[in-house]
Amino acid sequence: SRTVDIPQELKDALRKFRFARRSSGSAAMVIKINKQKLIMEEVEQFDSITLEDLAEELPENSPRYVLLSYELDHKDGRKSFPLVLINWAPTSSETGLLTLHASAFLDFQTTADVSKVIEIRDGAESLNKPAIDSKLLS
């Protein structure tokens, strides 16, 4: 049984986000857990956003799942747009919420159908192009 429900409308939105054609820029979809209702909710979508701007949009004391279509420049000049799941889990978040977030993470990852996961625990300074590039190009 699930700890946190993923409503059908969110599943549909995730699917739509995954299959959107992108030719430039990174796009992001931010999801949070509604602790009272124990369901996941879409917070916002960003089109053509830099990682630095995305980091500014994310809360300092509250965990989020961020589905990121990331513009990745390869050494041979190619561009690709891998789908990355950012597990935004600031250590300053309320413990109960972090626990809930962690317990529902795999279920969300499976539903979003994303294999690449990047954990961000120490806030905005860790969410930048060099850090993400090094994780994806390694």
Side-chain angles (χ1 to χ4, degrees):
S1 83
R2 294 196 159 119
T3 18
V4 179
D5 193 45
I6 304 173
Q8 189 57 48
E9 66 194 65
L10 179 56
K11 290 178 182 173
D12 294 343
L14 286 166
R15 185 177 163 76
K16 193 172 163 203
F17 182 87
R18 283 191 52 160
F19 292 108
R21 289 250 167 251
R22 309 205 197 281
S23 54
S24 70
S26 297
M29 182 176 181
V30 181
I31 290 97
K32 71 172 186 175
I33 292 177
N34 178 322
K35 198 175 156 189
Q36 281 65 44
K37 297 181 183 169
L38 291 179
I39 61 166
M40 292 184 199
E41 298 173 339
E42 180 180 335
V43 179
E44 201 164 354
Q45 280 196 41
F46 300 97
D47 212 36
S48 211
I49 190 169
T50 66
L51 289 175
E52 291 72 19
D53 287 347
L54 177 60
E56 290 296 308
E57 295 289 340
L58 294 168
E60 285 179 25
N61 302 312
S62 191
R64 295 288 184 267
Y65 305 120
V66 182
L67 198 55
L68 179 68
S69 172
Y70 182 66
E71 183 175 356
L72 183 63
D73 298 305
H74 296 266
K75 290 180 175 70
D76 62 6
R78 289 177 306 120
K79 270 187 197 304
S80 66
F81 295 86
L83 210 55
V84 182
L85 176 53
I86 294 178
N87 186 13
W88 180 264
T91 48
S92 55
S93 304
E94 177 200 324
T95 311
L97 202 50
L98 273 178
T99 306
L100 197 57
H101 181 84
S103 69
F105 180 78
L106 280 175
D107 195 30
F108 180 77
Q109 183 184 357
T110 304
T111 302
D113 196 11
V114 186
S115 56
K116 294 180 175 79
V117 175
I118 296 176
E119 303 271 339
I120 305 275
R121 300 203 178 282
D122 42 8
E125 55 277 357
S126 299
L127 189 55
N128 57 56
K129 191 161 174 52
I132 304 298
D133 282 356
S134 72
K135 290 192 169 85
L136 294 177
L137 291 168
S138 57

